[in-house]
Amino acid sequence: MAYMLEGRTGAWEVVVGLEIHAQIISESKLFSGASATYGGAPNAHVSFVDAGFPGMLPVINKECVAQAVRTGLGLKAEINLFSRFDRKNYFYADLPNGYQISQFAHPIVGTGQVEIELQDGTLKQIGITRLHLEQDAGKSMHDQHASKSVIDLNRAGVALMEIVSEPDIRSPEEAGAYLRKIRQIVRYLATCDGNMEEGSMRADVNVSVRKPGEPFRTRCEIKNVNSVRFVMHAVEAEALRQIDVWESGGEVVQETRLYDPSRGETRSMRSKEDAHDYRYFPEPDLLPLILEQDWVDQLKASLPELPDEKRERFCRDYNIPFYDAGVLVAEQATADFYETVAKGRDGKLAANWITGDFFAAMNRTGKSIDNPPASAAAMGELLDLIADKTINGRIAKDVFEAMVETGKMPAAIVEEKGLRQVTDTGAIDEAVAKVLAANQDKVAEYKAGKEKLFGFFVGQVMKAMAGKGNPAIVNEAVKKQLG
Ligand code: ADP
Ligand code: MG
C-alpha cells in the first residue's frame, strides 16, 4: 500500500498530535440530571443547570467520572486521585453560562500509552499526555429559519473526555491508525460510542513539519475534523502547505485552521493574535474531585478484555496469525462472533471462513455482525460438517451460499440437496476409470512425462461426481489407476 505523502515531503518530517473529544456514554449529563441521549426534540433534554439559569449549581455525575477513569485505565494511563475543575471563560451563543467547566491544571487522567500498528505490520507506541473531563456545548443551527439562528441545548452539558496525544505521530496513516485505535478502545470499554458521523467523537489535529533531528517547529491546529479519512487528508494537506511555506522562504504562523473536505485543503480560521484568553480559574461551585484508590481498583478489576489483549489471546488460544487476530478483534461483536464459532473447533479454519466468505457475504448483502448473513451457530455447524468429513471444502462454499440465501442450517441443506461427500472407494474408483477411459490421449501424455495433467484428471473426476468426492481419496485413486 502506498503512503499518502510518499515522495512528496522532500527532506521534511511530519509531526502530528491529536486532541480527541469523545462524548461519554451515560444516562445523564456531567453536572445535571437531564438526559444525555443523542437526538430528541430540540431542547427536550435541558435542565436549568444546562440552560445557565442564575443560581443553579452543578452536581458531579459519578458515572461520568467512572467512565473517564475506565478510559484512562484502557489507555494504560495514570489515574490522578486528585483532580479539579476549572472555568474556561468565553462567549458563544450555544454556551449559555458564558463559560465551560473543564479541567485545566489538574486533569483526572495523566500520561498513558496507546499501541498502533503501521502498514508494514510493525507496532509503535503513541504517548497520551492527558485525558480530562469537560462539558459539551449546545448546537446553533443556521438553516432552520430565514432570518434567525436557533439553538438546541440538548447537547449542552453532556460529558466529554478530551484525550490529548503527545506529538508522536509522523504520517497521515499513523494519525488514522491512532484515531481508529482510540475509537476501538472506547468502544470496547463502552465509554463512548465513537460515532464520528453523529459528532460523538471528533478530533483537533495539530500539524507541524521539521527537518529530522531539529526541534519541533510551529504547529497549526485544524479544528473539529469528523472522520478518520478527513483526519488523514487534513494532515496531508496541511503538511504540504507548511512545507511549501518554509521552502518558499516564509514562516508558518501558529493558528487555528479548518479542513474543507470538498477542496481537500485547510484554511485559516483565526490566528494567534486574536487567540482566546480563557481566564481559567478554579470552578468555585465544585469541590476538587478526590477518588479513592479502592474505587479505581474496582473499576480496573471490572474492565472488559481490551483489543490488544484479546488479539494476543486469540493468537495463543486459537493458533491464528497476528494479522488475522487483528482483523477479528477490530470490533468486539466480531471478536465474540469468531469466538463462538472457533471454540472447540479448528481456530484457523474458523478465522479463514469468517474473514473470507463470511465477511464477503456481509458486504454483499449489506448486513452487519449484529444481524449477520449466517448465525454463529450455523457457521459452527458448517465447520463441524467439514471436520467430520460430511462435506468437503469445495461443497462447503455452496452450502454457505445456500445458508446466506435461505437462512437454513447447513446440515439441513446438505441433506436436502444430497451434498454429502462420497468416501465410498468403489464409487470413486468407478468415476476415475471412466474419466481415464474417456481421455486416453491425455493419459498417454501424462505417462510420457506431462505430470501437470494429474490435476486435470482430479478435476474431471470431481466434476463427474458433482464436486462431492472426498479430495484425498480421489487423489489416491487417480494416482493408483495412472501408475
Ligand atoms: P495547547 O495547550 O496550546 O493546546 P499543547 O501543548 O497542549 O498545546 O498541545 C496540544 C496538542 O498539540 C497536543 O496533541 C500536542 O501533541 C500537539 N503538539 C504540540 N506541539 C506540536 C508540534 N510542534 N507539532 C505538532 N503537534 C504538536
Ligand atoms: Mg489545546
Side-chain angles (χ1 to χ4, degrees):
M1 213 186 291
Y3 290 82
M4 288 168 74
L5 282 170
E6 194 164 289
R8 298 163 74 198
T9 56
W12 297 89
E13 178 181 55
V14 182
V15 177
V16 180
L18 257 54
E19 297 164 279
I20 298 175
H21 287 95
Q23 220 175 66
I24 286 177
I25 295 174
S26 68
E27 295 276 322
S28 49
K29 296 183 178 180
L30 183 54
F31 298 118
S32 85
S35 167
T37 318
Y38 177 79
N43 297 306
H45 309 315
V46 185
S47 77
F48 290 127
V49 175
D50 312 315
F53 274 43
M56 294 297 113
L57 291 174
V59 177
I60 185 90
N61 178 341
K62 187 174 177 183
E63 178 55 18
C64 293
V65 176
Q67 292 286 61
V69 171
R70 288 186 189 106
T71 308
L73 293 168
L75 301 175
K76 313 244 181 315
E78 216 180 307
I79 305 301
N80 293 325
L81 298 182
F82 175 94
S83 67
R84 203 188 64 200
F85 290 96
D86 298 291
R87 269 190 197 182
K88 182 177 183 179
N89 298 281
Y90 61 101
F91 174 79
Y92 216 74
D94 47 30
L95 184 77
N97 275 319
Y99 58 82
Q100 177 193 33
I101 304 179
S102 182
Q103 294 188 308
F104 184 59
H106 298 280
I108 185 165
V109 175
T111 56
Q113 223 168 41
V114 164
E115 188 173 84
I116 61 167
E117 189 173 358
L118 309 183
Q119 276 175 302
D120 64 4
T122 56
L123 301 172
K124 175 174 175 175
Q125 304 294 326
I126 305 295
I128 300 290
T129 313
R130 59 187 276 159
L131 174 156
H132 66 253
L133 275 166
E134 62 186 29
Q135 309 170 285
D136 210 341
K139 243 185 221 164
S140 304
M141 286 174 283
H142 311 291
D143 55 359
Q144 309 282 312
H145 189 278
S147 59
K148 297 183 168 76
S149 287
V150 297
I151 293 172
D152 177 4
L153 291 179
N154 282 350
R155 204 178 63 181
V158 169
L160 286 181
M161 301 179 279
E162 178 169 336
I163 303 167
V164 182
S165 87
E166 290 290 303
D168 289 344
I169 296 163
R170 291 290 174 274
S171 68
E173 288 79 11
E174 288 186 24
Y178 170 76
L179 184 54
R180 279 199 307 272
K181 191 59 180 275
I182 295 284
R183 188 173 59 180
Q184 185 189 35
I185 291 171
V186 295
R187 281 182 172 165
Y188 264 72
L189 291 166
T191 57
C192 168
D193 65 26
N195 195 334
M196 299 190 77
E197 302 80 60
E198 288 177 359
S200 48
M201 198 164 155
R202 44 200 198 263
D204 298 343
V205 186
N206 297 272
V207 180
S208 67
V209 297
R210 67 169 176 183
K211 301 276 174 68
E214 269 184 5
F216 292 142
R217 295 199 183 198
T218 306
R219 70 188 151 98
C220 291
E221 180 176 7
I222 306 145
K223 279 278 178 203
N224 267 327
V225 188
N226 64 0
S227 82
V228 173
R229 203 161 53 87
F230 290 166
V231 164
M232 294 172 71
H233 284 300
V235 171
E236 178 191 36
E238 179 60 13
L240 291 174
R241 184 190 71 84
Q242 290 182 17
I243 290 170
D244 212 45
V245 170
W246 291 119
E247 298 250 311
S248 55
E251 195 164 328
V252 171
V253 290
Q254 187 170 344
E255 61 183 357
T256 303
R257 300 179 69 87
L258 279 181
Y259 175 67
D260 179 350
S262 62
R263 294 170 170 228
E265 62 184 31
T266 68
R267 60 169 181 271
S268 185
M269 193 174 141
R270 55 173 188 256
S271 68
K272 202 182 180 183
E273 280 81 338
D274 49 33
H276 290 287
D277 176 1
Y278 294 119
R279 310 281 303 264
Y280 280 103
F281 60 82
E283 168 57 55
D285 290 339
L286 288 163
L287 290 166
L289 187 57
I290 314 267
L291 310 181
E292 284 173 11
Q293 187 62 50
D294 268 5
W295 185 67
V296 173
D297 292 343
Q298 280 170 34
L299 291 173
K300 186 167 191 176
S302 65
L303 287 187
E305 183 180 40
L306 289 169
D308 289 348
E309 298 147 24
K310 200 184 278 293
R311 185 176 189 179
E312 271 172 31
R313 184 172 60 78
F314 276 13
C315 290
R316 249 190 352 261
D317 288 3
Y318 300 109
N319 208 3
I320 57 175
F322 192 63
Y323 176 83
D324 296 30
V327 174
L328 291 167
V329 305
E331 282 181 59
Q332 173 107 49
T334 310
D336 292 346
F337 188 96
Y338 168 72
E339 229 174 347
T340 309
V341 177
K343 201 161 264 168
R345 301 196 175 93
D346 178 342
K348 179 65 186 151
L349 190 63
N352 289 347
W353 270 94
I354 290 174
T355 59
D357 297 66
F358 177 82
F359 277 4
M362 201 152 70
N363 286 337
R364 196 177 62 232
T365 59
K367 294 196 165 182
S368 69
I369 195 73
D370 302 314
N371 171 32
S375 69
M379 292 306 292
E381 191 176 289
L382 182 67
L383 294 190
D384 290 341
L385 292 173
I386 300 169
D388 69 14
K389 301 198 162 58
T390 302
I391 54 175
N392 64 35
R394 170 68 204 78
I395 290 291
K397 302 226 172 225
D398 296 341
V399 174
F400 176 73
E401 292 310 324
M403 285 157 59
V404 173
E405 208 167 291
T406 64
K408 290 184 183 162
M409 291 298 278
I413 293 167
V414 169
E415 290 318 317
E416 192 178 296
K417 299 196 170 184
L419 295 174
R420 272 177 179 280
Q421 175 164 245
V422 178
T423 51
D424 169 9
T425 48
I428 291 175
D429 280 340
E430 197 178 311
V432 173
K434 271 192 196 151
V435 165
L436 297 190
N439 293 282
Q440 290 295 348
D441 49 340
K442 294 220 165 53
V443 173
E445 284 178 51
Y446 176 84
K447 290 190 168 158
K450 201 169 170 193
E451 291 186 3
K452 273 203 316 238
L453 281 169
F454 188 81
F456 165 80
F457 297 126
V458 170
Q460 289 299 307
V461 173
M462 281 304 235
K463 197 171 157 196
M465 302 186 72
K468 291 183 288 186
N470 174 305
I473 302 178
V474 169
N475 262 280
E476 248 343 280
V478 172
K479 205 178 291 172
K480 200 175 69 198
Q481 294 195 30
L482 277 173

